[in-house]
Amino acid sequence: MNAFALGYGTNGFANHRLHDALAVIADLGYTGVALTLDHAHLDPYSPTLGREVDRVRTRLGELGLRHLVIETGARYLLDPARKHSPTLLSDDPGPRVDFLDRALLIAADLGADCVSFWSGVPDRGLPDERAWTRLREGVATIVEHADRRGVRLGMEPEPGHLVRHVEQVLSLRDELGCPPALGVTLDVGHCVAVEPTDAAACVRRAGPLLFNVQLDDMLPGVHEHLEFGEGRLDLAGTLSALTSIGYQGLAAVELPRHSHAAPVVARRALAALRSALPAGIPARPVAGRHPWLDNAARRVRERPSVIGALFPAVGRKVGRAAVDPGGDPEGLVGGTVDDRARGVLLAALAETLGPADLSAELTALYRYGDDAERRGVLRGLTALVDAAPEVVEAGRDLVKDALRTNDIRLVAAAMGPFASRHLDRHSWRHGVLKCLFVGVPLAAVADLEATVDEELVRMIGDYAAERRAAGRDVPAGTLELLGKV
Amino acid sequence: MRIFDSHIHMTSRTTDDYEAMYAAGVRAIVEPAFWLGQPRTSVGSFTDYFDSLIGWERFRAAQFGIRHHCTIALNPKEANDPRCREVLDVLPRYLAKDGVVAVGEVGYDSMTPEEDEVFSRQLAMAVEYELPALVHTPHRDKLAGTKRTLDVVKESGIDPGRVLVDHLNEPTVGVVHESGSWMGFSIYPDTKMDEQRMVAILQQYGTERMIVNSAADWGRSDPLKTYKTGLAMLDAGFTDADVDKVLWQNPVEFYGQSDRLVLDELPGFAASSETFAGNSVLRGGGNT
């Protein structure tokens, strides 16, 4: 299933160093970030900008923050005396246009989804028509820049600004001849505050032109960014609308006035988002970072026997989605959220118990486990590849048991690094062949390329011949494997 | 038509059945642990069966786009065999599992003292493990058995709203309706209930707390009886919303009390991929 990414805005971490903020955001389990360029956060006027951009790119990659939007709402970056000034509506919009172009360059270098910007508040005395003309000219210019940089622009309706409604962004876009690079940034809280329809309706209105989403709660008529649940936003309905339009960009929490308690607020926000997400939408599974899981792992370290009671509950507590729902919807290759979480509990168990007790507990968890628990044990063996001989012996028996089943998820989970290291060659080859038979992608077999031998190639060759003799396709991956050795 | 078959023994059914059920609109089922036809003689054969209900059968159903859940219990018939009663000691382990959405089938077969004891012990487990209970009513001496069932339910202290009394018919529906428990009806080719009689009961008692299932098993039975009852309801003037209430919302509400129902679509079976699942032609009624 295609899905949008959950992120957090760095303007809600104004009191953190940028690299620290990114780490906290990633550690909590967000997969994206809305980066507001500011004095302390990738200052676009820094003489060492190029190097800093490189460092941020590396950092984002290390932390697995795959979705990025560049935000340009810094308050005093251009003019230390006047908030948000100058704007595209100012007498001299030059510094704003230059800043937005720098943002586009940075976005291109970092592979961002888009650059987000707003219209600005017209100076007192500036007639509306005049303001609109300035806006149109300014946006036309930055759209040209955006085209040149290959970056998209999301224009955000902002309460109190010249452009405060989604409809105005769409009108402006029409006036400019519908440039493909120009779309909408939607702050769903703003919808509650000032839009005539609710956030879900705004999401659907923007449809494919929705380039960027900011998440927060608000009360009608009050432009104050609130934590989820403190305002009137229908969070579940809004997220569901994002899913229904097939939105695949970033949806980042926007709480710029909560920097004083950023890590706590960000954790609460993610919990609220996860519980409001439509079933099946992945909030990224982060091993050891779900609050329930942290607590469960601690309890296992304190009293290992509680794992028997915790193990069955994992799916109910942390979810069951595939880690990569788009590419691997059944979790055959990368496993599922609950698989990962069970692995964390097993790792905690392995830290605490000696080899004899660990072997007995592993065997019991598998023997008395349902399909998901057995899968969790099998995938958890990855962490026990270098365990004591008696633990390895117990693990090997479990792998063999799983390879006797026809449940493809068990077969896939059994063929991880533990099997490639510890299973006898004959059983391992039959495991690979079983994957082909039951439809487990060969990507699920650990170390296949390195471990394939002539006998396996012979077996697979015979299998392919048998398939062809029956007039059937040969599964993907088989032929590549035949080219080995 | 979306269908939640609240009682079906898929272990005894074929993959053709799964395909036909999906095509008819069945998206979720509950498989109660029950007698297998051949009496069991040891705890080991029960645990292997239970393991299959929380493992293999769930996987098998998933291959056909159907969410599988189960209920776990020592059934009343085998409660009379002392070799099987030790099963009670292993039940707690299973009652903690995902996908186990009730204690069941419990209840009476021949109304022996052994059945009395096993029934009330398992209702106590339902309370302890915060699960609803699925109660089977006996084939023989049904009305007396149903009344006694309701007495035992009352004594147990379990909330009647967390009890589904199954296999009801015209003589037994009234007492259960009064009790506040949920009413289950198994629609069979030639025993228990049929579609037309079911429609008449719905006309008389309404759709609140009413649940229809096929109870299909290894005997002569039909896994599409839920669907056929839906069609009979529409023919009799019930609305799509009424059918949805009886065939989906009610069982979801009842078993949802376990907090363990998983009803999102399986990978590859999302609504948008109906033709991928290859069933759009088979679907009758056009009201899915």
Side-chain angles (χ1 to χ4, degrees):
Chain A
M1 183 187 299
N2 294 318
F4 53 90
L6 294 178
Y8 204 90
T10 57
N11 59 354
F13 277 78
N15 305 333
H16 282 69
R17 292 182 200 93
L18 178 58
H19 288 249
D20 291 344
L22 296 176
V24 174
I25 290 168
D27 281 358
L28 288 170
Y30 291 96
T31 57
V33 67
L35 172 53
T36 299
L37 304 178
D38 210 333
H39 298 287
H41 289 169
L42 203 57
D43 182 349
Y45 301 99
S46 160
T48 55
L49 178 62
R51 207 168 342 135
E52 286 165 28
V53 168
D54 286 343
R55 284 181 56 223
V56 168
R57 189 196 303 112
T58 306
R59 187 72 168 156
L60 292 169
E62 285 167 354
L63 294 169
L65 291 168
R66 293 187 298 279
H67 295 270
L68 174 71
V69 162
I70 299 296
E71 293 280 352
T72 58
R75 294 184 180 114
Y76 295 102
L77 186 61
L78 305 184
D79 183 339
R82 299 183 61 207
K83 184 174 147 186
H84 290 161
S85 187
T87 72
L88 295 173
L89 313 177
S90 303
D91 292 341
D92 176 13
R96 173 65 52 178
V97 172
D98 174 67
F99 167 52
L100 290 174
D101 193 29
R102 285 169 191 255
L104 288 164
L105 269 172
I106 293 169
D109 276 356
L110 294 176
D113 285 356
C114 71
V115 167
S116 179
F117 72 107
W118 35 235
S119 63
V121 182
D123 285 338
R124 200 191 300 267
L126 183 70
D128 277 356
E129 303 87 330
R130 188 91 186 85
W132 189 261
T133 306
R134 286 183 179 183
L135 177 70
R136 194 172 55 223
E137 286 167 7
V139 173
T141 307
I142 59 163
V143 165
E144 280 174 32
H145 290 319
D147 279 337
R148 201 164 54 243
R149 311 283 184 213
V151 176
R152 303 190 306 170
L153 285 162
M155 184 169 192
E156 181 188 7
E158 185 79 19
H161 285 218
L162 180 62
V163 172
R164 63 191 69 175
H165 297 299
V166 173
E167 287 303 333
Q168 291 173 286
V169 178
L170 298 175
S171 305
L172 178 66
R173 189 173 185 277
D174 285 346
E175 282 186 41
L176 293 170
C178 302
L182 182 61
V184 178
T185 288
L186 185 70
D187 184 318
V188 300
H190 292 170
C191 302
V192 177
V194 301
E195 291 281 0
T197 57
D198 67 11
C202 292
V203 164
R204 285 189 286 269
R205 177 73 181 100
L209 294 177
L210 191 58
F211 288 2
N212 179 29
V213 173
Q214 299 170 353
L215 300 170
D216 51 79
D217 209 340
M218 272 188 207
L219 290 164
V222 185
H223 183 200
E224 186 188 352
H225 290 250
L226 302 173
E227 292 188 55
F228 300 119
E230 294 180 351
R232 296 273 176 76
L233 178 76
D234 173 6
L235 183 58
T238 306
L239 298 177
S240 169
L242 289 172
T243 307
S244 72
I245 67 162
Y247 180 66
Q248 294 182 41
L250 178 68
V253 178
E254 173 91 349
L255 290 170
R257 307 227 169 146
H258 290 70
S259 292
H260 60 95
V264 180
V265 173
R267 181 187 291 274
R268 273 202 297 266
L270 188 60
L273 287 166
R274 281 183 167 148
S275 63
L277 277 170
I281 304 295
R284 175 180 139 201
V286 176
R289 285 165 186 159
H290 188 286
W292 179 85
L293 185 55
D294 277 343
N295 184 39
R298 187 174 45 72
R299 288 176 59 199
V300 169
R301 283 191 200 93
E302 287 166 7
R303 198 156 63 87
S305 63
V306 300
I307 198 169
L310 294 170
F311 226 56
V314 168
R316 299 197 283 277
K317 299 296 184 184
V318 307
R320 306 179 179 90
V323 171
D324 173 16
D328 176 31
E330 291 179 282
L332 293 176
V333 177
T336 58
V337 175
D338 47 328
D339 289 348
R340 294 268 177 107
R342 288 194 174 95
V344 170
L345 296 185
L346 288 181
L349 191 72
E351 284 171 28
T352 320
L353 291 182
D357 290 338
L358 179 58
S359 307
E361 189 63 74
L362 278 177
T363 304
L365 287 171
Y366 183 90
R367 166 60 192 91
Y368 302 119
D370 68 1
D371 49 356
E373 293 168 66
R374 290 181 179 199
R375 227 173 48 221
V377 172
L378 293 166
R379 289 196 185 274
L381 291 175
T382 303
L384 301 175
V385 166
D386 297 315
E390 101 185 84
V391 177
V392 167
E393 190 55 45
R396 188 158 37 216
D397 287 344
L398 304 182
V399 167
K400 286 184 172 176
D401 182 89
L403 290 176
R404 284 191 292 270
T405 73
N406 269 11
D407 183 332
I408 58 175
R409 295 164 308 171
L410 291 178
V411 171
M415 289 303 285
F418 185 92
S420 71
R421 171 86 82 86
H422 295 300
L423 209 54
D424 65 274
R425 287 299 91 191
H426 177 82
S427 304
W428 183 81
R429 288 187 210 105
H430 271 271
V432 176
L433 201 56
K434 183 150 195 171
C435 288
L436 288 170
F437 261 86
V438 299
V440 170
L442 289 181
V445 179
D447 310 322
L448 180 59
E449 300 272 316
T451 323
V452 64
D453 57 18
E454 284 182 26
E455 176 63 2
L456 179 60
V457 171
R458 181 202 61 75
M459 291 163 73
I460 289 173
D462 288 355
Y463 165 71
E466 194 182 333
R467 298 277 308 177
R468 287 198 202 94
R472 298 198 169 111
D473 293 339
V474 179
T478 313
L479 299 175
E480 286 81 349
L481 214 51
L482 286 174
K484 300 286 166 193
V485 184
Chain B
M1 202 186 289
R2 55 176 180 168
I3 299 170
F4 185 121
D5 195 335
S6 61
H7 186 145
I8 184 163
H9 300 284
M10 292 311 297
T11 302
S12 310
R13 309 299 307 191
T14 66
T15 54
D16 284 356
D17 288 332
Y18 269 126
E19 282 176 355
M21 288 161 63
Y22 185 88
V26 177
R27 294 293 179 271
I29 54 178
V30 169
E31 175 158 10
F34 195 54
W35 189 47
L36 289 178
Q38 174 70 37
R40 282 169 283 211
T41 58
S42 71
V43 174
S45 62
F46 274 90
T47 54
D48 287 343
Y49 171 63
F50 294 158
D51 286 341
S52 142
L53 294 184
I54 60 172
W56 175 242
E57 201 56 45
R58 185 190 296 174
F59 169 72
R60 215 164 71 99
Q63 302 310 293
F64 298 91
I66 294 175
R67 288 284 182 189
H68 181 281
H69 310 83
C70 66
T71 75
I72 295 282
L74 173 59
N75 65 77
K77 193 186 290 274
E78 285 170 306
N80 290 303
D81 186 333
R83 290 173 300 181
C84 299
R85 259 197 309 281
E86 291 165 38
V87 169
L88 294 175
D89 300 330
V90 303
L91 289 182
R93 202 156 67 208
Y94 289 96
L95 298 182
K97 299 301 182 191
D98 264 8
V100 176
V101 293
V103 174
E105 299 178 61
V106 294
Y108 287 114
D109 180 53
S110 307
M111 292 192 273
T112 62
E114 287 83 1
E115 290 175 26
D116 272 332
E117 190 209 327
V118 169
F119 186 13
S120 34
R121 269 183 71 182
Q122 294 190 102
L123 285 177
M125 286 187 201
V127 173
E128 183 183 349
Y129 289 88
E130 299 180 350
L131 287 170
L134 170 64
V135 182
H136 160 99
T137 51
H139 305 284
R140 306 173 301 277
D141 199 10
K142 199 173 192 70
L143 181 56
T146 305
K147 286 178 176 164
R148 185 145 144 201
T149 294
L150 293 172
D151 289 342
V152 175
V153 165
K154 203 167 182 181
E155 281 166 23
S156 77
I158 191 171
D159 172 357
R162 293 172 71 85
V163 175
L164 168 55
V165 186
D166 213 345
H167 312 318
L168 298 179
N169 55 14
E170 291 86 350
T172 52
V173 58
V175 285
V176 183
H177 188 264
E178 280 171 30
S179 75
S181 287
W182 294 72
M183 292 155 278
F185 299 86
S186 301
I187 315 300
Y188 258 41
D190 46 18
T191 58
K192 296 191 170 81
M193 288 292 294
D194 67 28
E195 297 94 310
Q196 301 310 325
R197 288 164 51 210
M198 186 66 232
V199 165
I201 285 181
L202 289 168
Q203 283 165 335
Q204 184 179 348
Y205 289 91
T207 56
E208 284 299 321
R209 289 185 281 128
M210 290 288 188
I211 292 177
V212 166
N213 58 65
S214 73
D217 57 13
W218 30 253
R220 194 152 175 268
S221 49
D222 176 357
L224 301 185
K225 280 296 186 189
T226 46
Y227 172 65
K228 290 170 184 172
T229 302
L231 292 183
M233 285 177 70
L234 292 172
D235 283 347
F238 282 98
T239 63
D240 286 342
D242 295 328
V243 173
D244 193 59
K245 181 164 176 59
V246 172
L247 294 185
W248 184 270
Q249 293 170 36
N250 283 353
V252 166
E253 187 180 339
F254 174 72
Y255 286 117
Q257 298 180 89
S258 68
D259 285 331
R260 297 190 200 165
L261 281 187
V262 178
L263 296 173
D264 47 322
E265 284 151 331
L266 284 149
F269 290 92
S272 56
S273 61
E274 273 172 16
T275 48
F276 164 72
N279 58 44
S280 54
V281 183
L282 292 172
R283 219 177 258 174
N287 50 3
T288 53

